[in-house]
Amino acid sequence: MKERRNHLGLFILMGCILVMCAISPKMIAFAGGINSNEAGVIAAASGTFSYDGKTYKAGSAYINSLTSYLAADDVDLTAEQASEAISMMYANVGEGVAQGYLYEVGGQTGNSEPTTSTEDDGADKKSKDDTKKDKDDKDSDEDSNPADLDVWDAMSNQTEAKEKLESRPEKGEAAASVQLGENDIVITTKDNETISISKKEQLISDKTILVIDGISGIILAITLVCGVILFITKCMSFKRPKNRRARPGHSKRRKIRRYTRNVLTVTTMLSLVATFILLGSYIALFNKDAIMQNMQSSGYFRYAYSEYISGMAKEAVSGKSITDMDKIVSYEDYLFTIKQNSLKILDGQTNIRIPDSNVTPYIYNMKNSYMQLFYVAGVFTILSAVLGTVLMIFMDQRRERGIKHFAAAELIASIVIIIVTTIMATKKPYLHLYIEPDYLYLFLMECIQWGVKVMTSISAFCVVVGMILIGVYKTISNNQTS
């Protein structure tokens, strides 16, 4: 009997482990490692290419595919194989352009060397494919030969990220282009006007903050004026009087209550809209778990690892650190380090070294601007909403009247948030932007989708609260009449 119980406990433990594995977030990892020869291939693929007098660069999603392929357990390139793969890649740049693996990053390169057309490259590739096929027929005992590595083919593995990239507009057709630089994100409109988003400088101008603070201050001031009027005219009623007879001036106070309640309904509604937007923005933009998950989903960590390998290979070629090529950090170790550094930056430790491609410094800088806005405008709107609610409920002995108006303000605010969320979900403004590199586009897509989910949840919660308040109002009204 005891043995059966032990077996039952073991089965339950195994079942729990399986369930936890099934529901835990998936993380794409590289099974094998990268040697110095494969690092050279990644470095070459991560560089720029000249074709028809223009400069091209491989998209980050394709570099990720190549890195994944080279990190596989059954791929271990020698120096000769890596050199052949690089030569084949440079000989077929036109194929990379035609297949969409390469995108243009500059204008004329000034390269006077003759270039071949895409059709010629296709013919050369076909000839090489025929040669490769003949070689495979002779070496039928071998399933694959790493020496025949075609870098463009290795980049072509279809992934969910590449499917999402298909919805990105062409650079010439986009409303604006967004490009990540070393120290800032540059937004270029069709009129060639540029807007720079810095990772250190203040994002929201003092003038804009002053205007927003002023608007929120006006709303709070109107609420305070209504409160002063109600107190001066003795309209506030915190306790039910024992004598139910109307006091002198009742008609005048009733008019004051009606007008001030309508004004307070508007100010409370505006305050609730601002509060909901500030709350939703904070959760959508600065939730660390969501940020790290979106960076993972966008393929950034894999791209950063490719950057790391490429940087080491370039230093080795220049003779700076050849010995370090034998000490390439595994993807799992690199992933742990860069995740920890990203979290430290989000916590405010800005002195941490991190790649220029990492977006966490921009997010932290954005959070600083947000908090600067919240400390004045946010506090004003929250105070206005709370004060307006208290005044509406306690300006009359009939508490249900104040509850009804507060419910109306809350429901109208919910409708406004629903409209904004619907526009974001249907119009999808990010689809009108050309964003590079690839992972930045994917990251922004994930962030906007997460933001839509957050605002949808807040809207649903507000609607439910509003309906509950309507129910409370009807219940109290029925009890008053019965």
Side-chain angles (χ1 to χ4, degrees), residues 154-434:
M155 288 184 177
S156 65
N157 298 329
Q158 188 67 11
T159 63
E160 183 180 357
K162 294 177 186 178
E163 292 176 359
K164 291 181 179 179
L165 287 171
E166 294 177 357
S167 60
R168 181 174 58 179
E170 296 294 333
K171 190 172 184 179
E173 300 174 356
S177 63
V178 181
Q179 189 168 7
L180 179 65
E182 292 184 2
N183 298 311
D184 53 11
I185 297 176
V186 181
I187 303 174
T188 306
T189 64
K190 280 189 174 182
D191 300 330
N192 291 327
E193 296 181 359
T194 59
I195 302 173
S196 296
I197 301 176
S198 174
K199 63 172 66 174
K200 294 182 179 180
E201 298 178 1
Q202 182 177 321
L203 295 181
I204 305 176
S205 65
D206 292 333
K207 182 178 180 181
T208 302
I209 293 177
L210 184 62
V211 170
I212 297 175
D213 291 345
I215 294 174
S216 60
I218 291 173
I219 295 174
L220 177 59
I222 294 173
T223 304
L224 290 172
V225 169
C226 290
V228 171
I229 293 173
L230 290 171
F231 275 98
I232 291 177
T233 56
K234 299 181 180 180
C235 292
M236 299 300 295
S237 177
F238 294 99
K239 295 181 179 180
R240 292 183 179 275
K242 297 179 180 179
N243 189 355
R244 300 288 295 176
R245 289 187 304 173
R247 293 177 297 167
H250 174 69
S251 299
K252 181 180 179 180
R253 287 194 297 271
R254 185 167 56 186
K255 289 182 180 179
I256 293 174
R257 288 188 177 107
R258 183 171 66 249
Y259 292 130
T260 54
R261 184 180 280 120
N262 291 336
V263 173
L264 289 171
T265 301
V266 175
T267 58
T268 303
M269 181 270 295
L270 295 175
S271 300
L272 289 174
V273 169
T275 301
F276 294 155
I277 291 177
L278 287 172
L279 175 62
S281 300
Y282 187 87
I283 298 174
L285 297 175
F286 310 122
N287 182 283
K288 290 192 291 186
D289 291 336
I291 292 171
M292 300 304 293
Q293 182 61 44
N294 292 339
M295 291 176 71
Q296 177 77 35
S297 301
S298 67
Y300 168 71
F301 296 120
R302 285 170 282 156
Y303 174 75
Y305 185 65
S306 300
E307 276 190 319
Y308 156 72
I309 293 174
S310 176
M312 290 193 67
K314 290 177 181 177
E315 290 182 359
V317 171
S318 61
K320 294 181 180 179
S321 56
I322 299 178
T323 57
D324 291 340
M325 289 304 298
D326 297 328
K327 302 177 182 179
I328 297 177
V329 177
S330 67
Y331 176 71
E332 288 77 9
D333 293 338
Y334 183 85
L335 178 64
F336 176 80
T337 301
I338 195 171
K339 277 191 173 183
Q340 292 300 313
N341 289 343
S342 298
L343 289 171
K344 289 178 181 178
I345 289 180
L346 292 176
D347 288 332
Q349 301 182 34
T350 55
N351 58 338
I352 302 296
R353 291 188 60 185
I354 206 159
D356 294 331
S357 58
N358 196 298
V359 296
T360 52
Y362 296 96
I363 296 175
Y364 178 73
N365 190 31
M366 188 185 303
K367 184 178 180 180
N368 288 337
S369 297
Y370 172 91
M371 296 308 298
Q372 186 178 1
L373 187 66
F374 177 81
Y375 286 143
V376 179
V379 172
F380 281 176
T381 54
I382 293 174
L383 288 176
S384 177
V386 173
L387 181 59
T389 303
V390 173
L391 292 175
M392 284 191 293
I393 293 176
F394 291 99
M395 74 168 61
D396 199 333
Q397 295 180 19
R398 302 287 299 271
R399 309 301 189 200
E400 69 274 10
R401 293 175 181 172
I403 294 175
K404 181 182 72 173
H405 280 261
F406 175 67
E410 209 268 349
L411 286 174
I412 294 173
S414 303
I415 293 172
V416 173
I417 300 299
I418 290 173
I419 292 174
V420 173
T421 304
T422 303
I423 293 174
M424 291 294 295
T426 56
K427 296 297 184 180
K428 297 180 179 179
Y430 54 86
L431 293 181
H432 303 291
L433 300 176
Y434 178 83

